[in-house]
Amino acid sequence: MSAFGKFGLRQVINASGKMTALGASAVHEEVAQAMSEAARDYVVIDELLVAAGREIAKATGAEDGCPTTGAAAGIAIATAAVIAGTNLSRIERLPRPVGGPDEIVLQKGHAVHFGASVTQMIALGGGTPVEVGHANHTEKAHFTDAVTERTAALLYIQSHHAVQKGVQSLETLREIASAKGIPLIVDAAAEEDLHKYIALGADLVCYSGGKALEGPTSGFICGRRDLIEACRAQYKGIGRAMKVGKENIVGLLTALTRYGSREDGGEEQKRRMELFLRQLDGIPGIKGGIVQDESGRSIFRAKLEIDLAAAGVDAKQLIRLLEAGNPAIYTRNHYSNIGIVFIDPRPLLPGQEQLIADRLRDIIVKGNRT
């Protein structure tokens, strides 16, 4: 019985991705062992935060780093850092800043909901979100017109949730931020390249530890030394409610070390999905293919197009049936409204592709829909 089964919870097969709602990642044994050892020992947390920053810097090419509970907390803490700095009185007033710049400017197509609202994360850090442009069209002038003496930073969201066309590039925001003398914050929560955004000139970059890194529930901010010092200082303020435990910091750092020696998994993902699609042979109403992640990451998924007339169920009905079972099977469903379901191989444990294929056959061929 699994750790969750002991509490009466169903088994979950995660074919959706590194999703917070499903527990993000199943960590490697080495990460789990490191966390177990850290959980049974003691450390001066302030010293651990500084040491973690050094390791994060090594892994990202940044000047320094700060561990967080996740990328969402990273946005809030980075916001607080550019508003309050290391001034304790200002830190303690957040999220209601008194005096000084507090506006965080982002394009409307980046004001996304990722399970919560990006603009709410800004507000938690004491920032006033200023959305510019339109959902699918932003010009450089929208940013230059919006930057005033109240602007604390620009924010760029690198995510599949964000609008992918008609928006201004990170390079354009870097140019504006540099010209205006204000920081540029990048949310790169699930991104795989830990060096890219620092190399492109971002001042602070927020990552998730439980997504591409396959670490525990955690995250980190990397960037300019002075701003990272200000990030750590927020643990005396709003960051206190977002503090990350010793075991999760150690798990994050262990995952970072493992990540640095990883191989590109794209070819293996394609191989697994090709085998999976062959297991669907003979199931009517499913047309399969392999596609790359829409944001350009080296992630390859199986794309299943569901034909209602042939399958007897549409994509949304199929999703509900998969999720209602035990094990509950969760797929990637951003395009279910047009009859498409995706299978993400990254979080699948060995043999689970076969379980998914068997359940699809059970639903469509055998008509078992209870």
Side-chain angles (χ1 to χ4, degrees):
M1 182 179 291
S2 74
F4 304 112
K6 296 174 184 177
F7 303 101
L9 297 169
R10 292 179 297 157
Q11 179 190 0
V12 168
I13 294 177
N14 177 9
S16 179
K18 307 297 180 63
M19 308 299 290
T20 299
L22 297 177
S25 294
V27 303
H28 188 273
E29 179 60 34
E30 183 180 347
V31 175
Q33 180 63 32
M35 293 177 67
S36 175
E37 292 174 2
R40 292 176 288 172
D41 205 347
Y42 298 93
V43 69
V44 177
I45 295 296
D46 284 348
E47 293 178 3
L48 177 59
L49 291 175
V50 172
R54 289 196 298 267
E55 297 304 312
I56 291 166
K58 290 177 188 176
T60 61
E63 293 179 0
D64 202 351
C66 176
T68 65
T69 55
I75 295 173
I77 289 173
T79 297
V82 298
I83 291 172
T86 57
N87 184 299
L88 184 58
S89 295
R90 290 179 63 81
I91 289 169
E92 291 178 340
R93 290 191 181 104
L94 295 179
R96 297 184 177 88
V98 179
D102 63 358
E103 293 182 352
I104 307 296
V105 181
L106 71 163
Q107 44 204 326
K108 190 174 290 293
H110 283 191
V112 298
H113 192 281
F114 57 91
S117 166
V118 162
T119 55
Q120 187 174 32
M121 298 306 106
I122 294 169
L124 284 173
T128 300
V130 177
E131 299 176 29
V132 301
H134 310 277
N136 64 342
H137 180 77
T138 306
E139 297 189 19
K140 182 178 179 180
H142 285 125
F143 274 100
T144 55
D145 292 345
V147 175
T148 70
E149 70 279 357
R150 300 296 309 167
T151 305
L154 305 184
L155 173 63
Y156 185 91
I157 306 295
Q158 178 61 43
S159 170
H160 68 277
H161 293 296
V163 173
Q164 302 296 320
K165 63 178 182 178
V167 294
Q168 288 298 303
S169 68
L170 176 64
E171 290 81 359
T172 298
L173 268 66
R174 175 66 270 168
E175 178 186 334
I176 296 169
S178 180
K180 299 291 187 178
I182 54 177
L184 171 61
I185 303 169
V186 174
D187 170 38
E191 291 301 293
E192 297 185 320
D193 191 332
L194 303 185
H195 291 84
K196 178 178 179 179
Y197 303 101
I198 289 296
L200 286 174
D203 297 290
L204 290 173
V205 186
C206 307
Y207 286 94
S208 169
K211 299 289 179 64
L213 281 178
E214 298 185 343
T217 299
S218 60
F220 64 88
I221 310 167
C222 58
R224 268 173 38 191
R225 184 170 288 107
D226 61 325
L227 291 178
I228 292 296
E229 182 182 0
C231 288
R232 283 195 292 266
Q234 305 314 309
Y235 283 115
K236 293 183 178 180
I238 62 107
R240 180 71 177 184
M242 310 170 191
K243 65 177 186 259
V244 55
K246 59 188 178 182
E247 62 280 359
N248 280 27
I249 295 176
V250 169
L252 169 67
L253 298 183
T254 306
L256 266 176
T257 300
R258 285 181 47 78
Y259 193 74
S261 59
R262 83 196 190 291
E263 296 181 357
D264 184 344
E267 291 304 315
E268 175 62 13
Q269 292 164 23
K270 285 190 277 189
R271 186 194 68 80
R272 290 180 69 184
M273 290 298 91
E274 286 167 357
L275 289 173
F276 168 70
L277 291 175
R278 287 203 286 272
Q279 293 170 353
L280 303 184
D281 286 349
I283 302 179
I286 297 182
K287 178 183 176 182
I290 296 176
V291 296
Q292 187 173 0
D293 181 72
E294 58 266 41
S295 65
R297 294 177 294 173
S298 183
I299 299 170
F300 295 87
R301 304 182 179 98
K303 175 184 177 182
L304 309 182
E305 298 180 56
I306 311 302
D307 179 358
L308 170 61
V313 291
D314 64 20
K316 291 187 176 181
Q317 290 171 320
L318 182 61
I319 290 164
R320 285 195 293 271
L321 290 166
L322 289 171
E323 292 181 359
N326 190 8
I329 300 171
Y330 284 81
T331 53
R332 193 173 185 86
N333 306 323
H334 302 307
Y335 295 96
S336 60
N337 61 309
I338 57 172
I340 295 173
V341 173
F342 293 95
I343 303 295
D344 191 324
R346 295 173 301 155
L348 290 176
L349 303 179
Q352 289 187 336
E353 292 97 327
Q354 184 65 59
L355 293 176
I356 297 170
D358 290 345
R359 181 58 179 146
L360 289 171
R361 193 175 301 277
D362 194 43
I363 293 170
I364 294 173
V365 177
K366 298 180 181 179
N368 186 355
R369 297 170 188 173
T370 59

